[in-house]
Amino acid sequence: YIYLKLYVLRILLIMSIKLYNTLSREIEEFKPIKRGLAKVYSCGPTVYNYAHIGNLRSFLCADLLQRVLRVVDGYNVTWVMNITDIDDKTIKSVNDYSAWKPEMGEMTGNIKENLKKFTQYYKEEFLNDIKKLGIEKKHFSEMPCATDYIEQMKGLIVKIGNNGFAYESQGSVYFNVGKWREADKYGKLKNIDFENFRSGERVDSDEYEREQVSDFVLWKAKKENEPSWELDFDGKTLVGRPGWHLECSSMEYEILGLPFDIHTGGVDLQFPHHEDEIAQSKAGYGVEPTNYWFHNEFLQVEGAKMSKSAGNFFTLRDLTQRGLDPIDIRFAMLSAHYRSKYNFTFADVEAAGKSRKRIQRYVFDLINNSDGHEYIDVTSFSEQFFKNLQNDLHTPKALGELFTFINNNSPYVVGKNSRMELLEFFEEFNEIFGILTFTVPDEDIPEEVVTLANKRLEAKKNKNFDLSDMLRIEIQNRGFLVKDTVDGYEIEKL
Ligand code: AMP
Ligand code: ZN
């Protein structure tokens, strides 16, 4: 009944999410192309190494977006994230013997196979990382690898060529920016400095600066030891591989259809990657890729740009080895607004962990205590909380109000109906934040035993049976028996 009440209220208010759109440089009310459906494309990881926590922030921001669309606005979300398994970086790494790990298998004479083995390893590691961070596989519709769409990518290059916006030079194909500028604006997401621009000048690398704007590569001529395919273009057969920017344009069209609703990525992708995506889609398919461009700000470490040379470069495994819990990292990152720089510090994650435990404690207390009698206005609080999320995903405001609410309303005094409403609020909250459990731990089982049991479950999942046996004995020594179940384990007193 309460759920129905909330639902009806929400429809009456016609709550709808507002998002900052980089294209218009304004916060806009989100209007989907098809009623009730939001199609979202996220530029995914380049799988040449472990993702760093900056990359992971961008995927957490996209996860937050799709969850709010689904949970608060009731959209069906089709979420696609690509895996960049072929670009300058993956090719460079795969040919570097010292970058190979035993788990990848043997490097052979087959370059395409090598690329698959190498990138597959980092793709799996990426999937493990996002899982630990509470980004759930079931929320993705597809996670296409670029190498599975080479034929379609070739098709797009031919289309752009047929429309007169691509040309061949020395075995590569380039997008003709000078000509395109006569047809449409180039520089929609970021103003571009055309001062040094000279028509016909070309750039071959995937990454370049705004000041280096020139014709960019759609198809790159094969170099020694590079995987390659054949493209028929302008009466020639060109041996090579697609450029990075083209890959996303093609997969978006093939999987989501154009235009789709929201395109996500970090601010660094505004130029050239997303600018080039717009030009390619329009020049090839005649359509803009998306209606809303969503960009997250960067993560910094202790106020500085993350870089290997500065020694402040972290992957998720670095952080877990230093004792941080991935769920606290999730909560810390989600607590910052996605369009603000996030300053990563160990102290901040530890503080987020404390806040998370406070909310968790409150929820357990609510579940355990049924003696309270006071009426609490949960509805207005809950409406306000979700409104903040609908206001360009303003998590800091929403969480601020949650803590005020928790401080002002002791779980011991909340009366029966309010208590039920509040628990429903927390369930909905958790569908977005993904940090709570509703199974009250047996107080007789010490937390350290639960921690050991969790470690053992993790060890078993990683097929590290020696470690899992050791942990079972550790648990026994503390007077408990851990038993496996279909979805985890049970602990009993010995
Ligand atoms: P990549 O794996 O390099 O293709 O990047 C994956 C995503 O991470 C892209 O959306 C980037 O914009 C984003 N990204 C890279 N560095 C950072 C950072 N320091 N903070 C936030 N997002 C980042
Ligand atoms: Zn992309």
Side-chain angles (χ1 to χ4, degrees):
Y1 159 74
I2 287 165
Y3 238 172
L4 193 71
K5 199 176 84 185
L6 276 175
Y7 185 71
V8 171
L9 248 173
R10 208 155 280 167
I11 290 190
L12 284 178
L13 290 170
I14 326 181
M15 288 167 102
S16 169
I17 190 168
K18 294 192 194 81
L19 292 171
Y20 181 83
N21 187 352
T22 313
L23 197 63
S24 65
R25 293 168 176 82
E26 270 172 29
I27 294 182
E28 293 177 33
E29 186 177 330
F30 172 66
K31 294 202 181 80
I33 292 161
K34 195 169 162 216
R35 212 169 139 222
L37 176 68
K39 290 186 184 182
V40 181
Y41 182 93
S42 298
C43 282
T46 309
V47 283
Y48 73 113
N49 210 329
Y50 300 107
H52 60 63
I53 54 172
N55 301 139
L56 294 172
R57 179 184 196 200
S58 80
F59 307 126
L60 275 173
C61 291
D63 185 46
L64 175 69
L65 170 68
Q66 68 87 16
R67 283 179 185 245
V68 172
L69 284 165
R70 242 175 344 93
V71 178
V72 186
D73 274 19
Y75 282 103
N76 284 317
V77 177
T78 305
W79 188 19
V80 174
M81 179 187 280
N82 75 297
I83 303 283
T84 304
D85 59 353
I86 182 159
D87 79 324
D88 292 352
K89 291 190 260 191
T90 56
I91 289 181
K92 188 163 172 243
S93 298
V94 75
N95 286 327
D96 171 7
Y97 192 74
S98 68
W100 276 67
K101 290 179 185 291
E103 298 95 312
M104 294 170 177
E106 281 296 307
M107 201 180 196
T108 68
N110 185 328
I111 303 167
K112 279 187 195 166
E113 244 174 45
N114 289 345
L115 183 75
K116 195 84 211 164
K117 283 182 191 169
F118 190 92
T119 54
Q120 189 68 27
Y121 172 82
Y122 283 116
K123 179 183 168 186
E124 292 301 325
E125 290 298 317
F126 168 72
L127 295 177
N128 287 336
D129 281 351
I130 60 172
K131 189 172 172 197
K132 287 194 184 120
L133 284 173
I135 300 177
E136 295 179 36
K137 205 171 173 195
K138 67 173 186 203
H139 291 146
F140 291 102
S141 305
E142 274 185 64
M143 250 194 211
C145 281
T147 48
D148 292 331
Y149 283 83
I150 302 281
E151 284 310 309
Q152 292 86 335
M153 292 168 190
K154 283 159 45 174
L156 174 54
I157 298 174
V158 170
K159 275 198 168 89
I160 298 173
N162 288 344
N163 294 337
F165 296 107
Y167 62 91
E168 184 267 340
S169 169
Q170 297 188 324
S172 293
V173 179
Y174 296 88
F175 189 93
N176 190 336
V177 173
K179 182 131 186 242
W180 180 246
R181 286 183 70 203
E182 293 164 17
D184 196 24
K185 183 173 175 191
Y186 185 77
K188 292 188 183 187
L189 297 173
K190 255 193 151 156
N191 291 322
I192 287 170
D193 182 1
F194 283 103
E195 210 172 290
N196 300 319
F197 177 74
R198 258 172 290 148
S199 221
E201 227 159 73
R202 290 178 283 276
V203 59
D204 276 298
S205 56
D206 286 338
E207 287 172 66
Y208 51 95
E209 301 296 321
R210 259 191 297 173
E211 297 70 33
Q212 288 169 273
V213 55
S214 53
D215 293 351
F216 60 90
V217 75
L218 301 172
W219 185 258
K220 285 177 111 162
K222 175 179 162 47
K223 291 197 192 105
E224 207 187 338
N225 282 331
E226 289 194 354
S228 62
W229 292 262
E230 288 181 353
L231 166 71
D232 292 321
F233 187 88
D234 227 3
K236 290 186 186 165
T237 299
L238 307 175
V239 182
R241 48 130 176 150
W244 172 46
H245 313 301
L246 184 98
E247 296 176 358
C248 281
S249 286
S250 165
M251 287 182 278
E252 289 158 10
Y253 170 82
E254 297 294 335
I255 299 169
L256 287 175
L258 304 189
F260 54 94
D261 294 293
I262 308 173
H263 194 316
T264 82
V267 282
D268 60 321
L269 298 189
Q270 289 171 355
F271 184 86
H273 190 52
H274 292 161
E275 200 65 53
D276 291 351
E277 276 188 28
I278 295 176
Q280 290 163 154
S281 281
K282 260 192 123 172
Y285 305 123
V287 202
E288 295 256 345
T290 188
N291 288 346
Y292 298 83
W293 286 95
F294 172 100
H295 292 110
N296 64 274
E297 246 305 341
F298 257 37
L299 170 145
Q300 298 188 325
V301 175
E302 313 275 357
K305 188 176 181 262
M306 192 165 50
S307 78
K308 285 197 171 144
S309 53
N312 65 355
F313 184 96
F314 296 116
T315 62
L316 188 61
R317 52 175 53 207
D318 296 332
L319 299 182
T320 50
Q321 273 164 16
R322 288 174 66 160
L324 294 185
D325 184 334
I327 288 304
D328 293 339
I329 299 171
R330 174 183 175 89
F331 191 44
M333 289 203 197
L334 292 185
S335 302
H337 192 246
Y338 77 97
R339 281 196 295 119
S340 304
K341 286 202 175 69
Y342 172 61
N343 188 24
F344 174 89
T345 63
F346 283 79
D348 182 62
V349 176
E350 277 152 20
K354 283 198 186 121
S355 303
R356 174 178 71 81
K357 286 188 188 120
R358 247 181 88 212
I359 306 174
Q360 182 67 72
R361 188 75 254 160
Y362 188 86
V363 170
F364 285 156
D365 286 348
L366 263 185
I367 296 172
N368 283 333
N369 297 299
S370 49
D371 298 340
H373 289 288
E374 262 181 48
Y375 165 79
I376 311 274
D377 183 3
V378 176
T379 309
S380 339
F381 157 68
S382 163
E383 292 286 351
Q384 192 50 46
F385 181 90
F386 292 115
K387 240 188 207 156
N388 283 322
L389 295 184
Q390 288 178 311
N391 181 16
D392 199 27
L393 308 181
H394 215 303
T395 51
K397 251 196 190 152
L399 291 171
E401 279 166 25
L402 171 62
F403 282 108
T404 306
F405 183 89
I406 287 181
N407 289 338
N408 293 341
N409 297 285
S410 154
Y412 301 98
V413 303
V414 183
K416 191 170 165 226
N417 285 344
S418 309
R419 189 167 152 256
M420 273 171 59
E421 256 186 89
L422 205 43
L423 283 171
E424 264 154 22
F425 160 79
F426 278 113
E427 271 169 30
E428 213 168 336
F429 163 90
N430 202 42
E431 279 186 52
I432 293 164
F433 284 88
I435 56 163
L436 297 176
T437 165
F438 294 90
T439 323
V440 182
D442 190 334
E443 297 290 351
D444 291 342
I445 298 170
E447 209 166 295
E448 82 176 319
V449 171
V450 177
T451 309
L452 287 171
N454 284 335
K455 279 195 180 146
R456 179 177 169 274
L457 188 67
E458 180 77 21
K460 281 192 65 170
K461 273 191 199 146
N462 295 333
K463 301 206 164 45
N464 190 345
F465 297 114
D466 288 344
L467 180 62
S468 80
D469 282 347
M470 239 173 65
L471 290 163
R472 186 169 43 75
I473 294 164
E474 286 274 312
I475 294 167
Q476 266 175 16
N477 291 344
R478 285 166 174 75
F480 293 90
L481 183 71
V482 59
K483 282 187 184 166
D484 296 316
T485 61
V486 239
D487 50 3
Y489 61 81
E490 270 171 17
I491 306 175
E492 274 176 21
K493 253 194 163 138
L494 274 174

